[in-house]
């Protein structure tokens, strides 16, 4: 992979595409537990698919403002390496979830302008990783996975005390520029490798990974 860049492919919902992501070199695969998302997966299905994920590929659960009951159900059924919080969870809630479940937590922070950057510094003190994503549209009903980019120059040269991942509208055509501008060493994508909302395409997965290798 180009300069050891690690890629997370999120919203996987079937064994074929999980295998395609792993074979293509993805470092993380993500299961979405959010009913409003076209990538939402049932807990039982995620548990079944997770059992076949190759060793070395981290399994991540994406959740939006989850309560303890949902977290209990998911963590008891699905073997996971990380929880990704993509809602309005407070820093205190992030720390509480880390303590309660004993899993690393990645906190997503939406960026639209310079005013949003302070939240990255705040969450960087409590999360194990940060996901720097495009801020959701005000009229949107999903906090991420909208296929939109933000002004990457806002985070050019910026670093935080924990590892971070760039998300938001990444494609095979723009990933080289995204890496060059931001210096990102980890990338998260979903819609760019879909033939329809929620339907991953192994050929698009391979094309994206090849584009990363070419950087």
């Amino acid at each position: 992979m180009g300069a050891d860049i690690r890629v997370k492919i999120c919203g996987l919902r079937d064994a074929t595409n999980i295998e395609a992501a792993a074979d293509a070199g993805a470092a993380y695969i993500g299961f979405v537990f959010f009913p409003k998302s076209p990538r939402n997966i049932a807990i039982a299905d995620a548990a079944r698919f997770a059992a076949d994920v190759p060793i070395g590929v981290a399994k991540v659960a994406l959740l939006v403002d989850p309560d303890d009951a949902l977290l209990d159900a998911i963590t008891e059924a699905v073997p996971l390496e990380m929880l990704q919080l993509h809602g309005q969870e407070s820093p205190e809630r992030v720390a509480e979830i880390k303590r309660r479940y004993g899993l690393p937590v990645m906190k997503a922070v939406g960026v639209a302008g310079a005013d949003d950057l302070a939240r990255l510094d705040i969450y960087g003190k409590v999360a194990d990783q940060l996901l720097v994503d495009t801020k959701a549209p005000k009229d949107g009903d999903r906090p991420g996975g909208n296929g939109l980019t933000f002004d990457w120059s806002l985070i050019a040269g910026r670093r935080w005390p924990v590892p971070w991942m760039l998300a938001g509208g990444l494609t095979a055509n723009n990933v080289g520029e995204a890496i060059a501008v931001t210096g990102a060493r980890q990338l998260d994508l979903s819609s760019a490798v879909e033939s329809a909302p929620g339907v991953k395409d192994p050929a698009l997965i391979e094309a994206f990974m090849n584009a990363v290798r070419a950087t």
Side-chain angles (χ1 to χ4, degrees):
M1 196 69 62
D4 295 324
I5 290 171
R6 293 163 62 82
V7 175
K8 174 173 168 282
I9 298 179
C10 201
L12 293 162
R13 298 193 302 159
D14 66 69
T16 298
N17 287 324
I18 290 171
E19 182 179 5
D23 288 349
Y28 309 79
I29 63 104
F31 297 118
V32 174
F33 298 97
F34 184 54
K36 291 182 180 180
S37 171
R39 304 168 188 99
N40 185 55
I41 189 170
I43 295 175
D45 288 338
R48 181 161 48 91
F49 296 141
D52 294 327
V53 174
I55 294 173
V57 178
K59 300 174 290 293
V60 182
L62 185 155
L63 303 119
V64 179
D65 299 307
D67 59 20
D68 288 349
L70 178 59
L71 285 163
D72 288 348
I74 290 170
T75 56
E76 288 170 7
V78 186
L80 297 167
E81 278 74 51
M82 184 174 290
L83 300 172
Q84 177 180 331
L85 302 177
H86 218 113
Q88 298 300 314
E89 301 89 1
S90 68
E92 293 76 17
R93 178 60 172 157
V94 172
E96 178 187 3
I97 289 172
K98 283 180 57 176
R99 286 193 302 268
R100 180 179 174 94
Y101 296 97
L103 287 169
V105 173
M106 179 188 299
K107 179 66 180 89
V109 176
V111 173
D115 292 346
D116 298 311
L117 300 180
R119 297 180 69 238
L120 287 163
D121 295 324
I122 293 168
Y123 284 103
K125 296 176 182 177
V126 293
D128 297 285
Q129 293 207 40
L130 293 169
L131 182 77
V132 187
D133 199 359
T134 303
K135 198 170 190 175
K138 289 184 178 180
D139 58 351
D141 62 355
R142 287 183 280 144
N146 296 297
L148 304 172
T149 61
F150 65 95
D151 180 0
W152 294 323
S153 68
L154 288 168
I155 61 169
R158 294 181 67 93
R159 295 295 178 266
W160 297 277
V162 294
W164 64 280
M165 191 174 288
L166 180 66
L170 296 174
T171 69
N173 293 326
N174 69 16
V175 67
E177 179 187 359
I179 293 169
V181 172
T182 68
R185 313 317 303 161
Q186 299 194 107
L187 310 168
D188 178 280
L189 72 152
S190 186
S191 59
V193 291
E194 292 180 343
S195 57
V199 181
K200 295 292 187 289
D201 184 324
L204 293 176
I205 291 173
E206 184 65 27
F208 183 87
M209 300 301 280
N210 286 338
V212 172
R213 290 186 184 94
T215 60

